[in-house]
Amino acid sequence: MVKEDFEITDAPKIIVAIDGYSSSGKSTMARELAKRVGYIYIDSGAMYRAVTLFALRHSLFKADGKVDTDKLLPLLPNLNVSFQASASQDGVQHTLLNGEDVEKEIRTMEVSNHVSPIAEIPEVRHRMVELQQRFGQEKGVVMDGRDIGTTVFPHAELKIFVTAGLHERARRRWRELQHKGLDIRFEEVLENLGKRDRIDTTRKVSPLKKADDAITLANDAITHEEQMEWLIKLFQDTVEKIENGSRD
Ligand code: DC
């Protein structure tokens, strides 16, 4: 049972790293946990998507789909990605690219189809990791992605690795896109996810991989509520252990 009287304000702040496959539901989990415990939520995938949008806007993709790194790399130090609460008060945090709200643009299939080659570039990862670590300086952060528990915050106090089968994830993603009014075939979503899984798990720099000390959550067959109850209990136990100085 989740303890209702859990005192969040006085408790020590921790870093929660939630990694996993595309569309495994980790962002929803991470966002909701952050809201429930009063932490900052950082969607690291949105950051790679924002860089992808930047590259698309500046025509930095070559005809063969590869990135023109000669042009992109010098621009990286001045590229900033940040987050802000939505002005429309829809409760959704918005992603800013050099101060511009790009939340909607970064969720398109065009960006999804171009993000993997961007996320493979070591210099891009280096820049994003630098920004992500800054967000975690004061702790009190829930961050989701692919390499949060392994590379960004290897000392995070709580690490979760979320998995679900490819078809189940494609179904969820397709429904989400339909809900947003995007007319897209299920097969296209399935193919995109399968391709991203392959690239995410096999790339040379920071591939998607469970950290040795991460706890696996396979969420194919559990409800959102069950998942959240499990996560919040785990969070409370982790904080309490630290508070009692008994963490081993
Ligand atoms: O979580 P997402 O699907 O919005 O992420 C978009 C892409 O960014 C995904 O294909 C993999 C990449 N990514 C990454 O390489 N490292 C992260 N920490 C987060 C996302």
Side-chain angles (χ1 to χ4, degrees), residues 158-170:
L158 178 58
K159 299 181 186 178
I160 313 287
F161 190 76
V162 192
T163 67
L166 176 62
H167 271 78
E168 172 60 19
R169 287 183 287 121

Side-chain angles (χ1 to χ4, degrees), residues 99 191-192 197:
E191 197 189 314
N192 173 266
D197 280 3

Side-chain angles (χ1 to χ4, degrees), residues 221-236:
I222 58 168
T223 66
H224 176 69
E225 288 71 26
E226 285 167 340
Q227 183 170 287
M228 287 316 299
E229 178 152 347
W230 173 84
L231 181 61
I232 289 168
K233 167 92 172 61
L234 202 56
F235 172 86
Q236 291 173 342

